Amino acid sequence: MNSTTDKIKGAANEAAGAVKEAVGKAVGNPGLEIEGAGQKLKGEAQGAVADAKDAVKKLVDKV
């Protein structure tokens, strides 16, 4: 997977997680709220992986 794909998937997971978390809070469903928080974290991690890939690519391109 390239960094752009990772960024897109990360953003999608963050958005979906935020929605799940908000719905869970609104309807009083702690399980859904926790699931959403976990999905948001997954998205953030995917974004971090993409940033790391970009940084490595920039370093390699300089050499």
Side-chain angles (χ1 to χ4, degrees):
M1 238 184 289
N2 63 35
S3 65
T4 303
T5 304
D6 288 332
K7 287 179 184 180
I8 292 167
K9 287 185 176 187
N13 274 317
E14 283 187 64
V19 170
K20 283 182 185 178
E21 189 174 17
V23 170
K25 283 181 184 178
V27 299
N29 183 337
L32 186 59
E33 190 176 342
I34 291 168
E35 182 181 338
Q39 190 169 1
K40 274 181 24 182
L41 287 174
K42 178 182 176 182
E44 290 171 10
Q46 286 172 316
V49 167
D51 291 342
K53 284 181 181 180
D54 286 342
V56 169
K57 185 176 181 337
K58 285 179 185 175
L59 286 174
V60 169
D61 288 345
K62 285 184 180 181
V63 174

